[in-house]
Amino acid sequence: MKKYFITGISTEVGKTIASAIIVEALQADYWKPVQAGELKNSDTQKIQNLISNKKSKFHPNSYALETPMSPHAAAEIDGVIIELKNIKEPKTKNNLVVEGAGGLLVPLNDSKTILDIIRPEYKVIVVSRHYLGSINHTLLTIKLLLEKGFDVSIVFSGNEHKTTEDIIKKMSNIEIIGRIEEEPYFDKNVIKEYADLFRDKL
C-alpha cells in the first residue's frame, strides 16, 4: 500500500490536477485534510469528477472552512481552531493520496503548519510551476523535505521552461515523475492519459 502527500511550491500551481492524475494512476483513495473555501466545488469534488476508476474512495475533510484564505485565518473567521489531533488519516487498505493546502509552511494555527501533518511514511510529491521566484521556492521546499527525511519527487506543471527545470534537476538531484502540460482543459480522458504516462514512475 502506497501513501503520497501532494504539496505545492505555492498556491495555484496545479496540486489538485496532479492529485487527480496520481489517484487515477494508482486507483488510490483521496483525502484533503483541510479545505479552505469553495465548499460547493471543493478539491474533493473536482477530483471525483475527473476519476474514471471505480475503486477510489473519497474521504471527508477533517476541516472544511468557508473562507478561501490560509487555513489559520479561515479557521479564525469560522470561529474554530485547527488542532492536529483532529486531523486523522482515514482508515483504508487502498493506496492513499493526501493533498495539502498551498505550500509546506502554510499555517494551520499559531504553531503548526502543513508540514506537521505529513507522516514519515508518506512519499512527498512536489508540484512546481514556473514563475519568477519558482526556482527558489522549489529548492527551498525540496531542501526542507529532504532535511526532514522524506522520500521526495517532483512533477512539473505548465509549459516547459528549460533553464528553470534544468537547474532544479541539477541542484536537487531528485526524481522527476513528469510534466503536466498547459492543456486546454482537463477531463476524465486527459487525466487517464496522464495516469498511464506517470504510473511507472510512481
Side-chain angles (χ1 to χ4, degrees):
M1 186 174 65
K2 296 177 178 178
K3 296 179 183 180
Y4 290 89
F5 192 96
I6 316 301
T7 192
I9 61 166
S10 182
T11 190
E12 301 299 322
V13 294
K15 283 194 313 299
T16 301
I17 292 296
S19 296
I21 290 165
I22 294 158
V23 165
E24 183 66 21
L26 301 173
Q27 297 193 357
D29 286 10
Y30 172 83
W31 177 47
K32 174 128 183 168
V34 181
Q35 173 78 37
E38 285 198 286
L39 296 186
K40 288 182 178 165
N41 185 30
S42 68
D43 290 340
T44 305
Q45 290 162 309
K46 287 173 189 168
I47 288 180
Q48 278 178 302
N49 292 332
L50 291 169
I51 296 306
S52 305
N53 82 81
K54 304 295 181 204
K55 189 178 178 186
S56 295
K57 290 194 172 100
F58 299 86
H59 299 277
N61 312 116
S62 298
Y63 288 92
L65 307 165
E66 295 285 345
T67 312
M69 291 175 75
S70 176
H72 77 291
E76 190 174 340
I77 290 167
D78 282 11
V80 300
I81 294 170
I82 296 175
E83 296 186 59
L84 257 55
K85 67 181 183 184
N86 295 331
I87 299 177
K88 294 176 183 166
E89 181 187 285
K91 288 186 169 65
T92 178
K93 291 179 180 170
N94 194 13
N95 297 317
L96 180 67
V97 171
V98 184
E99 184 181 351
L104 288 180
L105 296 184
V106 165
L108 296 171
N109 54 38
D110 288 346
S111 61
K112 301 297 182 185
T113 69
I114 292 293
L115 183 61
D116 293 301
I117 62 175
I118 307 178
R119 296 189 170 195
E121 68 270 22
Y122 290 171
K123 292 174 180 288
V124 183
I125 295 176
V126 175
V127 181
S128 175
R129 186 180 186 88
H130 172 74
Y131 54 82
L132 190 62
S134 66
I135 296 172
N136 181 48
H137 291 163
T138 304
L139 293 176
L140 279 171
T141 299
I142 291 166
K143 184 172 189 286
L144 181 53
L145 288 164
L146 292 175
E147 282 174 357
K148 296 285 183 183
F150 290 108
D151 179 348
V152 187
S153 49
I154 195 164
V155 166
F156 288 114
S157 166
N159 294 329
E160 182 181 24
H161 197 279
K162 194 167 180 343
T163 55
T164 294
E165 291 169 25
D166 284 350
I167 197 67
I168 288 168
K169 288 174 193 171
K170 280 177 192 164
M171 294 188 80
S172 69
N173 198 30
I174 64 169
E175 185 180 27
I176 313 296
I177 291 171
R179 153 190 317 291
I180 303 164
E181 299 288 352
E182 202 73 57
E183 302 287 351
Y185 59 87
F186 287 95
D187 63 9
K188 287 183 178 183
N189 290 331
V190 177
I191 293 297
K192 207 166 182 308
E193 283 172 20
Y194 276 103
D196 292 341
L197 214 58
F198 285 13
R199 190 173 290 113
D200 289 345
K201 288 282 186 81
L202 297 167

